[in-house]
Amino acid sequence: MFGYSIEQTSLSKNWSVLLAVPEKALLDFLYLNTQYNSLDDMRELRFDIDFMQEDLNIDRLDEYLSRYESKTLETRVLRLKGAYL
């Protein structure tokens, strides 16, 4: 497992959750939702353009992407970048 942080819950200090960083969550979403393939599909997701252009860590996204070893996912990410970056 990779791409997450451990966060304490507000309910109890004895409970914690694994919270995916945005880059990992995005990759998992595209990996699991194979219906998003085209540039138009990516635009229809309506991701926050300001976040995508200013806050998304592209180096981390690319590093995590390499761990999946999936050409199909690489293609989806290229289309996502074309739609937002």
Side-chain angles (χ1 to χ4, degrees), residues 23-76:
E23 297 78 11
K24 177 69 161 93
L26 183 56
L27 290 170
D28 286 348
F29 176 82
L30 291 175
Y31 182 82
L32 294 171
N33 292 280
T34 58
Q35 70 270 25
Y36 299 108
N37 284 308
S38 71
L39 194 58
D40 286 338
D41 291 339
M42 297 304 167
R43 288 185 183 124
E44 288 176 11
L45 289 169
R46 299 182 185 175
F47 288 135
D48 183 318
I49 191 128
D50 291 332
F51 175 82
M52 296 296 283
Q53 293 179 350
E54 297 169 13
D55 298 321
L56 188 70
N57 184 326
I58 299 303
D59 292 333
R60 181 185 293 159
L61 181 76
D62 291 339
E63 191 263 314
Y64 287 174
L65 176 59
S66 69
R67 294 184 187 194
Y68 285 80
E69 297 180 355
S70 169
K71 293 293 182 189
T72 304
L73 184 58
E74 287 177 20
T75 300
R76 283 192 199 110

